[in-house]
Amino acid sequence: QVQFVESGGGLVQPGGSLRLSCAASGGSFRLYYMGWYRQAPGKQRESVARVTVGGSPSYADSVKGRFTISRDNAKNTVYLQMNSLKPEDTAVYYCNTYPRPQWDWGQGTQVTVSS
């Protein structure tokens, strides 16, 4: 069983930046594709970014060009650099394996984009 601890969220003004971290423990992190997901109030959880075992990223259209996903297999950590944030990016952000979330969700980290 892999456990995830997300951090780095907060309140930021439109156009601002945040860097999220997700630390994984209890499993072979380096063997999995990893993804960042988000869930806004009243909406389903959605995948916004994912990274292969080798580090190749891909993104949802809604964040392409603004978000950057990366991973450090030595630290069992995946990151999400978020730039040019918009109010519609407001959500709780989670990490898990991709494309199928295999492990229990962590507590997530709240990102609020507001002036």
Side-chain angles (χ1 to χ4, degrees):
Q1 175 73 14
V2 175
Q3 295 178 323
F4 301 111
V5 178
E6 299 92 348
S7 62
L11 173 63
V12 63
Q13 293 186 343
S17 299
L18 286 173
R19 188 190 193 211
L20 307 185
S21 299
C22 170
S25 62
S28 300
F29 170 85
R30 68 188 185 279
L31 299 180
Y32 297 99
Y33 283 35
M34 290 297 299
W36 278 98
Y37 302 77
R38 68 185 181 188
Q39 187 167 22
K43 295 187 177 182
Q44 289 190 335
R45 191 157 10 211
E46 62 175 348
S47 169
V48 297
R50 68 286 309 190
V51 62
T52 67
V53 169
S56 296
S58 59
Y59 303 94
D61 287 344
S62 58
V63 307
K64 196 173 296 182
R66 300 187 298 120
F67 290 11
T68 302
I69 188 172
S70 61
R71 68 189 295 163
D72 186 336
N73 289 336
K75 295 182 178 180
N76 283 2
T77 301
V78 60
Y79 304 97
L80 187 67
Q81 177 67 43
M82 306 188 296
N83 299 328
S84 302
L85 282 161
K86 304 176 180 180
E88 51 263 45
D89 295 318
T90 295
V92 180
Y93 284 72
Y94 305 85
C95 68
N96 212 316
T97 55
Y98 180 86
R100 184 174 67 88
Q102 297 190 30
W103 308 112
D104 291 344
W105 296 98
Q107 84 287 351
T109 186
Q110 175 71 48
V111 172
T112 302
V113 185
S114 175
S115 55

